[in-house]
Amino acid sequence: MIKIGIILGSTRPGRKGEQVAQWVHEKAARRSDAGFEVIDLLDHPLPLLDEPAPAMMSSGRYQHEHTRAWADTIASFDGFVMVTPEYNHALPGVLKNAIDYVYAEWNNKAVGFVSYGVVGGARAVEQLRLICGALQMADVAPQVALSLLTDFEKHTTFKPGDQHVAALDTLLDHVVAWSTALAPLRAASPATVA
């Protein structure tokens, strides 16, 4: 069965992403075509990128234990849904740092985006699409863009509009389909983790 990681891309105190990731997981867990698991970056404390060699050139040979553990986590999934806020017209630094730690472990996997912010996190996702393309990931077109103004009661409690449930279902359909379609490529060149 395809295994999809739901990456909670914020570690900020008071983050709203925890509510959003739980919502995504709750809706996804009802499906029978894939398994879903939340990957909270709080559970993977990575210092500012400290590997001496670029991940693209390391061939899975990482110097630090925290990198090897992160690589094992990412390698174990067939695709991802990234839950991200938008900070200052961009994705959070902690998410970019986590992405940059490994390379081959991301290759040939599908990715979808659930974002939130004043304008739905759209600018963060545009940047993530470029980054994921460079990692040889297949980003799916459907997206869930949540507004801090209308989808969070008093800007704190997550109360998504009904239209977001259908959008999330479509996003998950695409992530599962693409993750399945990319399986032969992953099998032909599996990520090597030292």
Side-chain angles (χ1 to χ4, degrees):
M1 180 183 292
I2 294 295
K3 185 178 171 189
I4 306 298
I6 301 165
I7 298 177
L8 174 45
S10 173
T11 58
R12 186 178 183 168
R15 63 190 177 160
K16 294 170 181 57
E18 194 166 7
Q19 296 174 70
V20 178
Q22 288 174 354
W23 173 74
V24 171
H25 187 257
E26 173 190 307
K27 301 299 181 198
R30 297 176 184 168
R31 301 172 65 100
S32 61
D33 55 354
F36 297 87
E37 182 181 321
V38 174
I39 305 166
D40 189 339
L41 292 183
L42 275 177
D43 298 331
H44 301 275
L46 297 166
L48 194 56
L49 186 57
D50 64 350
E51 284 292 325
M56 183 184 286
M57 298 176 183
S58 70
S59 300
R61 292 183 303 273
Y62 302 115
Q63 180 175 336
H64 301 294
E65 179 54 36
H66 56 260
T67 308
R68 290 189 293 272
W70 179 241
D72 288 345
T73 296
I74 297 306
S76 73
F77 289 93
D78 301 298
F80 301 93
V81 174
M82 293 188 185
V83 175
T84 184
E86 181 177 307
Y87 296 153
N88 300 319
H89 292 227
L91 67 150
V94 69
L95 178 56
K96 178 67 165 87
N97 189 55
I99 290 169
D100 288 345
Y101 256 91
V102 296
Y103 177 76
E105 295 79 5
W106 295 113
N107 293 174
N108 301 315
K109 297 179 181 182
V111 62
F113 305 100
V114 176
S115 58
Y116 57 96
V118 174
V119 292
R123 294 167 292 214
V125 170
E126 287 305 310
Q127 293 173 7
L128 280 165
R129 289 185 189 282
L130 292 171
I131 293 163
C132 290
L135 295 169
Q136 300 182 47
M137 297 179 81
D139 63 297
V140 301
Q143 175 183 339
V144 178
L146 304 162
S147 170
L148 290 176
L149 306 175
T150 59
D151 294 307
F152 291 85
E153 189 176 273
K154 297 183 182 179
H155 301 281
T156 57
T157 306
F158 183 49
K159 303 267 184 174
D162 292 340
Q163 74 278 13
H164 296 305
V165 174
L168 178 60
D169 284 339
T170 301
L171 179 149
L172 294 172
D173 287 344
H174 284 243
V175 170
V176 170
W178 276 95
S179 296
T180 302
L182 291 169
L185 291 176
R186 288 192 302 278
S189 60
T192 304
V193 180

